[in-house]
Amino acid sequence: MRMENILQRIACAPEFRVSHVTYQLEDAAKFWRRGVQRRYEARGEDPTWEDFVMEFERKFYTGHIRAQKKIELVTLKQGMMRIPEYEANFSKLARFAPELLKTDEEQMLHFERGMDSELVVHVRACRCTTLDEMIEQVTRLEDTMVIARGSAPKRSRDEPAQSQSQSGGNSNHGHKKKKFHQSGSS
C-alpha cells in the first residue's frame, strides 16, 4: 500500500496511523470508514492499523481481484528482475494469499519457485530458515555473480519477468530496462 510507505517515511507511530489515514479519506471512502468505526465502537474496540488495512482491502479489493492477485503470486517469475525487485513484487502479491504463506517453509518454497534456476541451485545449499534470511543470502549471491561476471546471472530471454496481463507491471520480455529520471520526485 502506497500509504504505508508514506507513513513509514514520515515516521508515523503505529497508534496514529489510522487517524492520520482516515483524515485523508474523501467522499464514499469517508462514509465507509465511519461505518467501520461504528462497528468497532459497538464492540468496545479501537481498530488497529492492521484492522484498518484488512477492512480496507476487504472493501476495495473484490473477490475477483484478490483471486487474480493470488494467481499472479503463484505464477510470478524472477525472469530478468534482480532479487530486490522480484522480492518487492512477491511481497506486494503475498498479502492477497496469506493462506498459502502461513509458515516460513511455505514462504521460501513459493519464493524459490519463481527464482532463476541458477540462483535456486546455490541458495538451497545455504539452508535458510526464514524468507528474510533466504532473500539476504540470494541477494548477496546475485551481487557476487554480477561482480564476477560483470553482469546479472544469465537468464533466458523467453523466461518472462512476470506476466504482463496478470501483473499490470512492466515485463521487459528480455529487453534491457531503460532508466528514466524524473525531476521533482523523491
Side-chain angles (χ1 to χ4, degrees):
M1 203 189 253
R2 183 171 183 264
M3 184 56 73
E4 287 179 290
N5 294 337
I6 293 169
L7 293 170
Q8 287 175 342
R9 188 169 206 139
I10 64 171
C12 183
E15 61 268 21
F16 299 116
R17 288 182 175 186
V18 173
S19 61
H20 179 73
V21 171
T22 56
Y23 178 77
Q24 304 293 322
L25 296 177
E26 296 178 358
D27 304 324
K30 188 167 257 179
F31 290 113
W32 162 81
R33 175 65 184 122
R34 287 180 187 152
V36 169
Q37 183 67 38
R38 283 192 296 273
R39 280 199 328 263
Y40 277 85
E41 286 173 357
R43 295 191 309 237
E45 300 174 3
D46 283 325
T48 64
W49 175 247
E50 291 76 18
D51 294 331
F52 175 80
V53 170
M54 180 191 69
E55 295 279 355
F56 183 88
E57 288 180 352
R58 185 181 300 149
K59 172 69 176 174
F60 294 102
Y61 288 113
T62 64
H64 172 73
I65 292 171
R66 294 182 70 76
Q68 182 66 31
K69 296 293 184 185
K70 193 180 297 186
I71 291 168
E72 288 178 43
L73 173 69
V74 172
T75 60
L76 181 67
K77 301 289 181 203
Q78 181 183 0
M80 298 299 289
M81 291 183 280
R82 297 284 307 273
I83 287 294
E85 183 181 358
Y86 172 62
E87 188 272 330
N89 286 322
F90 183 87
S91 294
K92 285 177 191 173
L93 296 170
R95 72 177 200 229
F96 295 102
E99 69 281 0
L100 298 178
L101 307 168
K102 291 178 186 172
T103 67
D104 287 322
E105 187 175 304
E106 290 170 335
Q107 292 169 18
M108 291 187 303
L109 179 64
H110 280 279
F111 191 83
E112 185 181 286
R113 280 185 184 151
M115 275 178 27
D116 176 73
S117 58
E118 187 176 10
L119 293 172
V120 170
V121 170
H122 294 290
V123 79
R124 284 187 179 165
C126 296
R127 298 187 185 270
C128 300
T129 57
T130 68
L131 180 60
D132 288 338
E133 183 182 346
M134 184 171 130
I135 290 168
E136 182 180 330
Q137 292 289 328
V138 77
T139 299
R140 263 190 281 171
L141 172 63
E142 186 179 56
D143 289 345
T144 302
M145 293 169 83
V146 167
I147 291 167
R149 288 191 180 139
S151 66
K154 293 181 181 178
R155 298 194 176 103
S156 166
R157 290 183 181 268
D158 297 330
E159 186 178 343
Q162 58 187 350
S163 171
Q164 179 79 13
S165 64
Q166 291 178 350
S167 70
N170 297 324
S171 175
N172 61 20
H173 298 287
H175 301 289
K176 291 183 179 179
K177 293 181 180 179
K178 296 180 183 176
K179 293 184 180 181
F180 296 96
H181 298 281
Q182 297 177 350
S183 60
S185 63
S186 54

